[in-house]
Amino acid sequence: MAKKKKVEIKAAETTVGDVAHNVPQEEVVDVPQEEAVAETAEETVVEIVEETKEVRKAADFDMGMPKEALTRKEQKAIDKKNKEIRKKYHVSNVQILKNFRSYSEEEKKHYRYIFGRRIAEAVWPFFHYVLLIGLSFIILYPILYMLTSSVKPQADTADPSIMWIPKTFRFENFRETFVAMNFTSVFTQTLFINVGCSIIQVITCSITGYGFARFKFRGRGLLFGIVILQMIVPIQILLIPLYVNFRFFDILGIFTLINGEPLNLVDKPVALFMQAFFCNGIRAGLFILLFRQFFRGLPKELEDAAHLDGCGPVSTFVRIMIPNALVSYLTVFIFSVVWYWNDSYVSGMFFNDSNTIALAVENLWRSMSAFLNEGRQVGGPTQYIVWVQAGCLMSIAPILLMYIFLQKYFVEGIERSGIVG
């Protein structure tokens, strides 16, 4: 604001000088007719000088005192004066188009830029809001559909006159779904399995990522290439070998020698815990990459200072690196919990019963059929859509609450990980 006022003052002073310079002083004495012209020019000069003094005074007053020290009346007067000055020296788009041919090449270049910038500033908010509304609709539509479907009677789903708002609200759908899913037991088991796998995976992936970021050893590029392949190769290709490995689990024949047969780890949480421990859990390759990028961004001088103080690699990692990477730990933990929470494919291979919420929601229509029809399977999934939608809403509620409370740290961890951009 201050720079703009200085430019306006300078322009006004230049105008004053030009007018004073163009007034023919010698001819004023000789030609009586031109006295009126001289007087008019002198009056114009005086007006411009007075206006310049007022502008300078307002600018100096505005620059010399903070806005908090100004009264409302003084600030209003300054704003009004600035508005008048901007209006006086402002060139509208209509004037640019009208006088464009009379401009010089330099002026054409300048006003072309001004005109284009004004058009962009006027048009961009429209596309900005259209994009935001479109994305919001895509994201919020499933949640709105779940909300409206979960509180309506099943008979209303076949009524074409009911689109969003049901004629009657039936909140008993949540209670019946809660009982049919055995939600308390399933939620406890899911929390134990998912949080346990996430904690193990965060620890092991952070150690692996730190090793790739800070240590130089033979085969580092090859091993990191395997980590990238772990992100690229679909889990469907690896799942059958993993299942066979944990169904007939035996290390160098030790368990066969002791028990006479391999261990069966299927339908036990230890199968998922072991995958997380050996950095082979869900999206483990991405987590290693996140930690590697974050640790590479930390200053090397931190480790050098720790080494001078007598810290070894383990002590440096625990005392220096982990405290500086807490935001990344939280980000990876949230990612891991969400992906384990929503997974039904990997969990379905290692669990025969509905031990997790994702599996319980996948088989919810069967559970509701048995609950409502005394243990008999009647009908298909579409006949239990309201209870399925209520179960989906109940399953995502804990994740939504977690994200709402940890949103700030989650976004900060993504920005500092080095993946964006």
Side-chain angles (χ1 to χ4, degrees), residues 5-16:
K5 290 179 180 178
K6 289 182 178 180
V7 173
E8 294 168 350
I9 293 168
K10 187 175 181 181
E13 291 175 347
T14 305
T15 306
V16 172

Side-chain angles (χ1 to χ4, degrees), residues 12-29:
E13 291 175 347
T14 305
T15 306
V16 172
D18 293 341
V19 174
H21 178 73
N22 294 329
V23 174
Q25 298 291 338
E26 297 179 356
E27 297 180 2
V28 170
V29 180

Side-chain angles (χ1 to χ4, degrees), residues 63 68 87 132 156 202 226 275 284 341 349 366 381 414:
M63 293 169 57
E68 291 79 3
K87 184 177 180 180
L132 286 179
D156 288 356
V202 166
I226 295 174
Q275 293 181 49
W341 191 276
M349 288 292 294
R366 297 186 180 89
I414 291 296

Side-chain angles (χ1 to χ4, degrees), residues 205-215 217 220-221 223-225 227-228 231 284-298 317 325 328 332 416-419:
C205 289
S206 65
I207 296 173
T208 307
Y210 179 68
F212 280 121
R214 291 306 196 196
F215 295 99
F217 52 88
R220 184 178 67 168
L223 292 176
F224 190 71
V227 172
I228 300 300
M231 299 169 53
L286 176 61
F287 300 151
I288 294 173
L289 179 61
L290 283 170
F291 279 117
R292 174 182 177 269
Q293 294 299 108
F294 181 81
F295 285 127
R296 287 185 65 182
L298 292 179
F317 177 71
S328 293
V332 172
R416 296 180 61 183
S417 63
I419 296 298

Side-chain angles (χ1 to χ4, degrees), residues 182 184-194 354-357:
N182 194 10
T184 303
S185 175
V186 171
F187 179 78
T188 305
Q189 293 179 17
T190 304
L191 206 62
F192 170 71
I193 295 172
N194 290 6
S354 299
N355 291 340
T356 64
I357 282 183

Side-chain angles (χ1 to χ4, degrees), residues 3 50 136 142 146 171 193 282 314 328 347 380 410:
K3 291 183 179 180
E50 293 296 331
S136 301
M146 280 191 292
F171 295 99
I193 295 172
I282 299 176
V314 177
S328 293
S347 302
F410 175 76

